[in-house]
Amino acid sequence: KPGFAYGGSCLPKDMKALRIIAHDNYIDCPLLENIERSNESQKRTALDQIIQFGKERVGFLGLSFKSGTDDLRDSPILDVVEILLGKGFDVRIYDSNVHLSRLTGANREYILKKIPFVSKFISDNVDELINHSEVIVVVNKEEEFREILNRVPSDRIVYDLVNIEFAKRNELTGYFGIAW
């Protein structure tokens, strides 16, 4: 499915293994050799667009690499969030699947290493995120986001990384997407 960059703990590892197997067998696979570069380019494109909107307050609907999980390992949006925070953006994050107190093991270590003070940016109040944010970035196709996006005021920018369908979508003048 076209859309934003891939992530997770399995696919990146599997892509690396395929490249190594091809290399070890002297097989030229330009597509496999460039997928990671393409993935990084997708993240950079999203970051550049968010910066080009010229707004300081950015809210993210979703943090994990796909809906229905709290797995944050190699979630591509974390790289974007990390850079935005470093540039001084005011970031808020809502993901009903991610509860820092319940994260364990490698998943917990990964997020705390990537964004050490992530708890300062995650909110369980989606209305506060909507009211605060000038730009709202849709990170995954969590079912609840369809209803949430229908409550977004028309003066906000919605940057959709996953082509999520919702009723008010055509009414928003500041609605943008990537790679779909």
Side-chain angles (χ1 to χ4, degrees):
K1 296 178 185 175
F4 187 53
Y6 65 82
S9 59
C10 296
L11 186 57
K13 172 184 50 123
D14 293 347
M15 292 303 305
K16 183 177 181 179
L18 281 172
R19 286 193 319 271
I20 290 170
I21 291 168
H23 177 267
D24 290 352
N25 288 286
Y26 304 100
I27 300 171
D28 185 28
C29 294
L31 181 63
L32 288 179
E33 293 165 10
N34 287 290
I35 287 177
E36 188 174 340
R37 188 178 334 169
S38 176
N39 206 50
E40 291 302 314
S41 177
Q42 279 283 47
K43 290 188 266 187
R44 188 71 196 171
T45 297
L47 173 67
D48 291 346
Q49 181 60 67
I50 292 168
I51 292 169
Q52 286 175 9
F53 288 135
K55 308 292 185 185
E56 295 296 316
R57 297 188 319 264
V58 182
F60 290 85
L61 292 177
L63 190 58
S64 59
F65 69 96
K66 67 178 181 178
S67 60
T69 185
D70 68 352
D71 192 349
L72 302 174
R73 293 172 293 171
D74 287 326
S75 177
I77 205 63
L78 288 175
D79 292 337
V80 174
V81 169
E82 181 182 31
I83 293 169
L84 290 174
L85 288 170
K87 290 183 174 290
F89 281 76
D90 184 352
V91 171
R92 305 283 168 93
I93 303 163
Y94 173 82
D95 190 322
S96 61
N97 294 303
V98 176
H99 303 279
L100 294 177
S101 62
R102 290 190 227 155
L103 295 180
T104 60
N107 195 21
R108 182 174 181 78
E109 285 178 36
Y110 182 82
I111 187 62
L112 293 177
K113 183 177 180 184
K114 195 79 167 158
I115 305 174
F117 302 105
V118 71
S119 62
K120 292 170 50 175
F121 310 107
I122 291 182
S123 173
D124 60 356
N125 185 335
V126 72
D127 290 319
E128 184 272 330
L129 178 138
I130 290 171
N131 291 330
H132 177 80
S133 303
E134 298 166 290
V135 176
I136 298 169
V137 181
V138 184
V139 176
N140 60 49
K141 287 189 175 185
E142 197 66 48
E143 190 60 37
E144 72 176 309
F145 294 167
R146 295 176 198 284
E147 185 273 322
I148 290 168
L149 288 166
N150 287 323
R151 299 193 324 249
V152 171
S154 60
D155 65 337
R156 302 301 196 286
I157 295 170
V158 173
Y159 190 43
D160 184 354
L161 304 181
V162 294
N163 195 17
I164 193 168
E165 294 291 331
F166 60 100
K168 193 177 171 183
R169 181 169 149 165
N170 293 330
E171 297 173 27
L172 297 174
T173 56
Y175 180 77
F176 302 93
I178 183 174
W180 45 262

